[in-house]
Amino acid sequence: MSRTKVEAFYATLAGLHAEPRTELEYVNAYTLLVAVVLSAQSTDVGVNKATRGLFAEADTPEKMLALGEERVREHVRTIGLFNTKAKNVIALSQLLVERHGGAVPADREALEALPGVGRKTANVVLNEAFGHETCAVDTHIFRVANRTGLGPGRTPLAVELAVMAATPKRFRRHAHHWLILHGRYVCVARKPKCGECPVYASCNWPEKPKGNSVAVQTADDIPVQQ
């Protein structure tokens, strides 16, 4: 994708959602971290249903430890891999108390040292909670980056680096969320909605249909992340 197309691509998506946010529900950096850990291989909707009750009881590492693994497991049992995730939530809470005074560190290395936290989870927390310019490559971003030509790559890390290199600085803060929104609601996996795509002109996908009757969408056409 040329620099001119990249600028037009992001400017259009920014016009639809000026301040995009994650769809995971959280009340502070700690609950965000827990929600992201729980969201691995699970939907945001499913995680939100489980964490509403959990976070009402425990919204700090100290409270989570007091709650205990068994009670955490009961709250998250509707989520995939809930046994392992409950253990990780307790373990990461313990390390946050022991190493960071109960606070979530705004540091990639420190975050990735926590149980259940990999690069993608760290990127989400750094971006959403601390405003860092990061890109957490999930299946949506991996697809959009490769399909459009924005940041092609064979691995999530390769795509992340390519996307960040291609993205102008003024768009980097929210690029992660714009790409997820676009992949979740427009550039979907099986039947991408090219006829409704607001960034059709910028996209370099060789299989996209010729012609597009929709030049610009309004923000109401795509669900807004809460």
Side-chain angles (χ1 to χ4, degrees), residues 54-76:
L54 176 62
F55 294 158
E57 292 190 49
D59 59 1
T60 68
E62 294 83 358
K63 291 179 182 178
M64 196 69 74
L65 291 172
L67 191 62
E69 185 179 324
E70 184 176 347
R71 288 286 291 129
V72 173
R73 188 183 303 113
E74 291 175 5
H75 278 290
V76 303

Side-chain angles (χ1 to χ4, degrees), residues 115-136:
V117 179
R119 186 178 181 88
K120 183 174 73 172
T121 295
N123 277 341
V124 172
V125 174
L126 291 171
N127 180 272
E128 181 75 14
F130 301 109
H132 292 198
E133 296 174 353
T134 62
C135 182

Side-chain angles (χ1 to χ4, degrees), residues 40-188:
Q41 300 181 45
S42 302
T43 66
D44 290 356
V45 172
V47 171
N48 289 339
K49 288 180 179 179
T51 57
R52 285 167 193 153
L54 176 62
F55 294 158
E57 292 190 49
D59 59 1
T60 68
E62 294 83 358
K63 291 179 182 178
M64 196 69 74
L65 291 172
L67 191 62
E69 185 179 324
E70 184 176 347
R71 288 286 291 129
V72 173
R73 188 183 303 113
E74 291 175 5
H75 278 290
V76 303
R77 62 184 308 106
T78 58
I79 301 175
L81 305 175
F82 68 91
N83 281 315
T84 298
K85 291 178 180 179
K87 290 180 180 180
N88 284 337
V89 167
I90 292 298
L92 70 84
S93 298
Q94 186 68 50
L95 288 183
L96 287 177
V97 171
E98 293 176 354
R99 299 179 181 177
H100 306 287
V104 175
D107 175 80
R108 179 188 301 283
E109 184 177 354
L111 285 170
E112 291 187 23
L114 299 173
V117 179
R119 186 178 181 88
K120 183 174 73 172
T121 295
N123 277 341
V124 172
V125 174
L126 291 171
N127 180 272
E128 181 75 14
F130 301 109
H132 292 198
E133 296 174 353
T134 62
C135 182
V137 178
D138 65 355
T139 56
H140 297 301
I141 293 180
F142 190 85
R143 178 175 64 255
V144 170
N146 277 287
R147 182 180 279 167
T148 63
L150 173 67
R154 294 185 177 183
T155 66
L157 179 58
V159 168
E160 176 190 335
L161 297 177
V163 167
M164 293 305 289
T167 302
K169 183 170 178 58
R170 67 190 181 98
F171 295 121
R172 288 178 194 159
R173 170 68 175 83
H174 296 305
H176 162 77
H177 291 303
W178 286 323
L179 295 175
I180 287 178
L181 271 175
H182 189 61
R184 184 171 289 167
Y185 297 113
V186 180
C187 195
V188 294

